[in-house]
Amino acid sequence: MKRAGFALVALTLFAAPRFVHAQARETRRVLVIAAHPDDEDTQLITWLQRGGRAETAYLSLTRGDGGQNLIGNELGEQLGVIRTEELLAARRVDGAHQFFTRAYDFGFSKNADETFAHWPREELLGDVVTVIRSWRPQVIVAIFSGTPKDGHGQHQVSAILAKEAYESAAADTVRFPAARFGAAWTPLKFYRLARFALAEPTIRMNVGEYNPTLGKSYAEIAADSRSQHKSQGFGSLQRKGPVWDMFRRESTRVNANTPAESEKSIFDGLPGSTKSSTESVDPILEATRDISLDAFADRQYLALGDSAKVTATLYNRSGKPVVMTRPDAPDAATTPRPVSVASDSSYQWTFYVHGDAITQPWWLATPRNGDLFSPRLPVFRDTTRWDLSPEDEREKHNWITVLVGSPGSWPDARVRAPVVYRYIDPVRGDIQRPLAVAPPLSVTLDRAVELARANTQIDRFFNVKLRSALMSPRAVTVSLSLPAGLTADSASRTTALDSAGSRTVTFHVRGRLAPGTHILSATGSMDGKTYSAGYVPIEYEHITPERIYRASTVSIDAIDAVVPAGLRVAYIRGVGDNVEPALVQLGIPMTVIQPAEIPTVDLSKFSTVVVGPRAYQASP
């Protein structure tokens, strides 16, 4: 999919930039495979990655779209965006890499057959093969067993596909041609987690080992990683002391003569270094740890087709001078001239970024094909760049990148940082948001779906949210298109939008609808152009902000329903709860009761008490 120049999504929540040497290294790699964003074994991942034992990645088949939401009302694809960002936040803590397939989490399934009815097996296996060939792991670890013991059918499928890819598919270029899926790769060992089947492990590891350099044990760091899954309520305690993780060796191509029970490590029999590819004794790499790169845009939203000014600064906080090359200085045919930056000094320059394409989650840029997202996975062929996984490559390829080196040598260490808009929040302090390309005018309605009782009087207000990405004021005319049977207090309104401003225009709609589905739409006209779509922001403190685009329409389902006389409903809110407005839209007399009020409320005056979804998780 097209991405905007320097319009970013998966920033490192503005941790220090990554410093990576261009030199390739022979490195052990491990791929952990499961179904959902919170299925990964963060203790194993942290022990491997932060311990320098192997470059480690997690492949989640889904983005968790079918899960719960303890922190808001987003569900479906919007929840999938939140859980994707939570998983990327977890990887920022444990340092590992992240992959996904195209599978949409359609919700709970009872077995693998039911899951494969939603996910075409060969298509999804091809995605797993693509990731394996891109990452080239020597070791694969499946979290689940691929049997009914796993419970959720999607859990079972993740293990089934992991095993099939290991056994044959990843190396089969007839079934999965290299041109589409990447060059063949044969993993050497296959394990599965055996933590919940204590009679089955063939090896166990103390993932609670203390790292004096980090000042924490791997289990403590893993708890921080696990706690990023806030929408699922997975806040975790930090454990000190030994913490044992257990695995079962199911297959090996390198040390079959060694009984599984006799192994000392999951790397037994493997060649290669245990050193992480991002660790080096190269002096310039040591120096880059004291080098910082900032890139600040003059706005948060860049209108499509417009340009934003960016001020970049490289800070040399080391005790030695360095040389750097500006990424924007030369054209492709010109050799860049290195710039010298003295010790304890900085070098600043400005450049302009053009908004070429709307910034949005790449997997949502086109409609789903059933329960698979439609954009194909990229085949990642640059085996020298283990600082990027395919997911990173999609999200970070337009980060600003500067090459640095020692004086007298050609710069070859990359320093990378996102382009962000920076402002001060009186409470939270320094806030940085990724520069995002948006339409000049965004038009959205509060909800995409509403209910109504057919042939019954409707009296509602519809709010049209307008957001400008332009840097000068504009006049906007907002119009409603109504289904037969409904009228509004006015057909259109004209309002003024400030520079990069927002405004809500409210219409009062009355009438009746026949049974069926009816579409109400809103449009905004500005500078002779008409806009009929907009973005819904998804923003929580623990994740990178995102936007989901949708048409500025409301689908009103008019239901031929009868509300019994005397019906009185008490409603107790749950989590991710959109039930309450639906009941109100159907004209059901309802009183919302807060959980803390239950002991003092006389429930006998209600004919029905409805407890919202997962209310028992939200309140004791």
Side-chain angles (χ1 to χ4, degrees):
M1 93 155 223
K2 294 181 179 179
R3 299 283 301 178
F6 291 93
L8 311 170
V9 178
L11 67 162
T12 56
L13 239 81
F14 315 118
R18 298 284 295 272
F19 310 113
V20 183
H21 201 278
Q23 177 182 345
R25 295 180 181 274
E26 181 64 31
T27 307
R28 290 175 179 168
R29 290 178 294 278
V30 175
L31 180 65
V32 179
I33 301 178
H36 306 110
D38 51 30
D39 290 340
E40 83 273 36
D41 186 337
T42 54
Q43 294 176 343
L44 170 68
I45 289 171
T46 306
W47 183 79
L48 289 170
Q49 181 71 34
R50 290 298 186 196
R53 295 171 174 86
E55 284 283 351
T56 308
Y58 174 49
L59 168 59
S60 176
L61 295 193
T62 77
R63 297 174 184 272
D65 322 79
Q68 62 195 33
N69 187 356
L70 287 175
I71 61 175
N73 290 331
E74 297 90 350
L75 297 172
E77 290 178 346
Q78 292 187 34
L79 178 58
V81 170
I82 292 174
R83 297 189 69 186
T84 294
E85 291 299 333
E86 288 179 334
L87 201 47
L88 294 175
R91 296 294 80 80
R92 290 192 287 270
V93 173
D94 57 42
H97 304 261
Q98 184 58 51
F99 297 82
F100 297 92
T101 74
R102 293 172 295 153
Y104 174 72
D105 181 359
F106 55 84
F108 183 77
S109 61
K110 297 182 289 295
N111 53 56
D113 289 341
E114 184 179 338
T115 300
F116 279 129
H118 289 262
W119 297 342
R121 181 167 183 157
E122 196 74 358
E123 287 280 318
L124 200 56
L125 178 59
D127 285 358
V128 176
V129 167
T130 298
V131 171
I132 290 174
R133 292 181 180 180
S134 295
W135 183 242
R136 303 197 306 175
Q138 292 93 344
V139 179
I140 291 177
V141 179
I143 296 295
F144 298 104
S145 67
T147 69
K149 292 180 181 179
D150 300 332
H152 199 321
Q154 293 179 8
H155 291 170
Q156 297 177 44
V157 163
S158 71
I160 291 169
L161 295 181
K163 190 67 177 293
E164 186 172 359
Y166 167 84
E167 289 181 338
S168 60
D172 189 344
T173 55
V174 174
R175 186 178 178 187
F176 298 102
R180 176 178 172 185
F181 299 94
W185 180 256
T186 303
L188 301 179
K189 304 183 79 173
F190 185 88
Y191 291 83
R192 69 175 175 86
L193 185 67
R195 186 187 301 165
F196 306 112
L198 300 183
E200 298 182 4
T202 60
I203 192 170
R204 67 176 194 159
M205 297 170 289
N206 177 19
V207 293
E209 178 185 344
Y210 177 73
N211 186 314
T213 301
L214 300 175
K216 284 188 174 183
S217 72
Y218 300 116
E220 289 177 279
I221 298 170
D224 282 343
S225 175
R226 185 74 170 163
S227 295
Q228 301 308 308
H229 297 293
K230 299 183 189 303
S231 68
Q232 306 305 295
F234 279 119
S236 300
L237 293 173
Q238 295 188 8
R239 299 174 59 186
K240 295 181 174 70
V243 178
W244 296 97
D245 221 349
M246 286 156 279
F247 301 89
R248 179 177 182 82
R249 191 186 82 188
E250 296 216 330
S251 183
T252 180
R253 293 184 169 100
V254 291
N255 63 336
N257 293 330
T258 301
E261 294 78 7
S262 300
E263 283 195 327
K264 305 297 183 184
S265 163
I266 63 173
F267 303 115
D268 283 5
L270 294 181
S273 169
T274 61
K275 182 175 289 187
S276 165
S277 66
T278 57
E279 297 294 327
S280 173
V281 296
D282 189 321
I284 186 59
L285 285 188
E286 295 291 335
T288 57
R289 295 175 184 176
D290 297 320
I291 292 175
S292 177
L293 177 64
D294 289 335
F296 296 135
D298 61 0
R299 68 198 75 172
Q300 180 175 355
Y301 288 98
L302 170 60
L304 185 66
D306 201 355
S307 295
K309 183 179 180 180
V310 178
T311 300
T313 308
L314 183 106
Y315 298 91
N316 179 10
R317 299 183 288 187
S318 71
K320 301 177 181 179
V322 299
V323 292
M324 58 157 283
T325 60
R326 282 173 44 176
D328 62 313
D331 59 32
T334 305
T335 301
R337 183 169 58 90
V339 175
S340 179
V341 186
S343 171
D344 197 25
S345 66
S346 63
Y347 176 80
Q348 186 175 94
W349 72 101
T350 61
F351 59 94
Y352 287 85
V353 170
H354 190 262
D356 297 323
I358 297 298
T359 306
Q360 60 182 316
W362 65 266
W363 64 95
L364 298 179
T366 54
R368 285 201 322 268
N369 181 12
D371 285 322
L372 290 182
F373 294 110
S374 55
R376 283 185 179 177
L377 297 187
V379 176
F380 190 65
R381 304 181 191 276
D382 186 354
T383 59
T384 69
R385 292 295 310 279
W386 294 119
D387 63 315
L388 287 178
S389 67
E391 190 70 17
D392 294 327
E393 185 182 38
R394 282 187 185 271
E395 305 298 355
K396 298 180 181 178
H397 72 281
N398 281 327
W399 283 29
I400 179 174
T401 302
V402 173
L403 296 181
V404 297
S406 301
S409 67
W410 183 253
D412 64 352
R414 303 181 184 97
V415 183
R416 306 171 60 240
V419 178
V420 301
Y421 175 70
R422 185 187 198 187
Y423 64 95
I424 299 175
D425 181 276
V427 176
R428 296 167 57 195
D430 189 332
I431 304 296
Q432 299 181 18
R433 293 289 179 259
L435 175 65
V437 178
L441 179 65
S442 170
V443 182
T444 56
L445 287 147
D446 283 349
R447 289 174 291 275
V449 177
E450 290 196 5
L451 301 179
R453 288 169 61 191
N455 300 315
T456 302
Q457 183 64 31
I458 294 173
D459 190 332
R460 297 184 186 178
F461 293 92
F462 288 86
N463 297 320
V464 182
K465 182 78 171 183
L466 306 172
R467 296 182 178 90
S468 172
L470 298 174
M471 298 302 288
S472 58
R474 291 291 198 280
V476 179
T477 300
V478 185
S479 304
L480 281 190
S481 177
L482 299 168
L486 297 184
T487 59
D489 53 353
S490 61
S492 64
R493 305 261 179 84
T494 299
T495 187
L497 270 182
D498 292 335
S499 168
S502 63
R503 187 176 292 273
T504 298
V505 178
T506 302
F507 291 87
H508 192 180
V509 175
R510 298 182 176 91
R512 296 171 182 262
L513 290 174
T517 299
H518 309 268
I519 302 298
L520 179 151
S521 61
T523 57
S525 298
M526 183 179 72
D527 296 340
K529 295 182 179 179
T530 299
Y531 300 87
S532 57
Y535 63 85
V536 177
I538 298 177
E539 185 163 347
Y540 293 93
E541 288 188 20
H542 68 296
I543 62 172
T544 302
E546 266 289 12
R547 293 144 302 279
I548 287 188
Y549 281 83
R550 69 186 188 199
S552 52
T553 62
V554 178
S555 175
I556 305 175
D557 292 322
I559 301 171
D560 196 6
V562 176
V563 177
L567 177 66
R568 296 192 66 196
V569 174
Y571 190 78
I572 302 168
R573 288 195 183 103
V575 300
D577 191 347
N578 297 311
V579 176
E580 178 191 335
L583 297 180
V584 172
Q585 291 162 13
L586 290 175
I588 295 174
M590 186 178 63
T591 300
V592 175
I593 297 177
Q594 301 300 327
E597 300 172 344
I598 293 174
T600 62
V601 173
D602 178 10
L603 297 179
S604 66
K605 61 185 180 182
F606 300 105
S607 58
T608 304
V609 177
V610 180
V611 181
R614 299 184 175 91
Y616 296 100
Q617 283 186 286
S619 174

